Amino acid sequence: MLSASAGTFGRAEAAMSERFGSVARASEVMPFHFTGYYEPEMGANLLRKFLAFERPVGPAELAEIKLWTNALEERFAAEPGCAAPRPINLDPGYVAPSKLVLATTKDHAHRICLGQGIHAEVTLTFLKGAFAPMPWTYPDYRTEPYRRFFEQVRADLVARQRTARS
């Protein structure tokens, strides 16, 4: 989640929890200062927060989830008194033992179309015990706090998979 208002995170988390179930892990709120790309529609002093839900999602669900989060963004933007044209940016994805995949509406050479205008990108790969960026990985996802969060989510997933097998 990306927003100029930490309060918006709580409202978005509540809406997503209704849809996807309880939150298994949440990051701290972190300043987002990697690009000015979002400022015209979201404002300055943006913040980032990640959520991981108890119920894992797979590749087949990703396009539908991105369409749903896009609709949630539009719902927030349509609220009376909204301070910015786009009060929140929601970029869903999934963690697998080997990678972090994010959904986007922006096509590029390294992205695979999932249908309905949604594309998937392998943003981080798990190599030698840690997540590593790809050449196209955004600068923020290259940082230690981001990668550490996704490594914790991956560890939770691997532990759940081991428990399910035993």
Side-chain angles (χ1 to χ4, degrees), residues 1-3 9 12-13 16 47-49 51 88-90:
M1 300 184 290
L2 189 65
S3 180
F9 290 152
E13 181 177 337
M16 289 188 288
L47 303 168
R48 167 81 77 189
K49 183 176 181 181
L51 300 174
I88 192 161
N89 177 24
L90 302 170

Side-chain angles (χ1 to χ4, degrees), residues 40-59:
E41 61 182 353
M42 298 186 76
N45 302 314
L46 295 176
L47 303 168
R48 167 81 77 189
K49 183 176 181 181
F50 293 112
L51 300 174
F53 293 89
E54 288 285 340
R55 182 181 70 83
V57 299

Side-chain angles (χ1 to χ4, degrees), residues 158-166:
V158 169
R160 280 196 307 271
Q161 289 175 337
R162 281 189 187 130
T163 301
R165 282 194 299 262
S166 26

Side-chain angles (χ1 to χ4, degrees), residues 57-75:
V57 299
E61 299 175 81
L62 193 53
E64 178 189 335
I65 291 169
K66 179 62 176 168
L67 292 170
W68 185 86
T69 59
N70 285 353
L72 182 60
E73 285 185 28
E74 291 171 9
R75 193 173 91 205

Side-chain angles (χ1 to χ4, degrees), residues 121-136:
E121 171 187 289
V122 175
T123 299
L124 299 171
T125 57
F126 196 78
L127 300 168
K128 300 179 183 173
F131 273 119
M134 305 297 287
W136 51 79

Side-chain angles (χ1 to χ4, degrees), residues 11-165:
R11 294 175 43 239
E13 181 177 337
M16 289 188 288
S17 292
E18 283 182 28
R19 170 82 187 236
F20 305 115
S22 60
V23 172
R25 186 175 291 276
S27 75
E28 60 188 69
V29 174
M30 301 172 272
F32 179 85
H33 49 77
F34 298 93
T35 178
Y37 175 83
Y38 297 100
E39 284 189 25
E41 61 182 353
M42 298 186 76
N45 302 314
L46 295 176
L47 303 168
R48 167 81 77 189
K49 183 176 181 181
F50 293 112
L51 300 174
F53 293 89
E54 288 285 340
R55 182 181 70 83
V57 299
E61 299 175 81
L62 193 53
E64 178 189 335
I65 291 169
K66 179 62 176 168
L67 292 170
W68 185 86
T69 59
N70 285 353
L72 182 60
E73 285 185 28
E74 291 171 9
R75 193 173 91 205
F76 277 44
E79 292 176 346
C82 184
R86 188 179 188 190
I88 192 161
N89 177 24
L90 302 170
D91 287 325
Y94 68 90
V95 173
S98 62
K99 62 191 169 246
L100 165 68
V101 177
L102 295 178
T104 180
T105 57
K106 300 174 201 88
D107 189 14
H108 208 287
H110 62 278
R111 295 178 177 155
I112 304 298
C113 182
L114 300 176
Q116 302 181 71
I118 306 300
H119 300 80
E121 171 187 289
V122 175
T123 299
L124 299 171
T125 57
F126 196 78
L127 300 168
K128 300 179 183 173
F131 273 119
M134 305 297 287
W136 51 79
T137 300
Y138 289 121
D140 52 332
Y141 281 86
R142 294 174 176 272
T143 65
E144 182 66 25
Y146 283 36
R147 291 189 337 220
R148 188 177 26 209
F149 175 79
F150 291 113
E151 287 164 5
Q152 292 168 339
V153 172
R154 180 192 178 277
D156 294 344
L157 173 67
V158 169
R160 280 196 307 271
Q161 289 175 337
R162 281 189 187 130
T163 301
R165 282 194 299 262

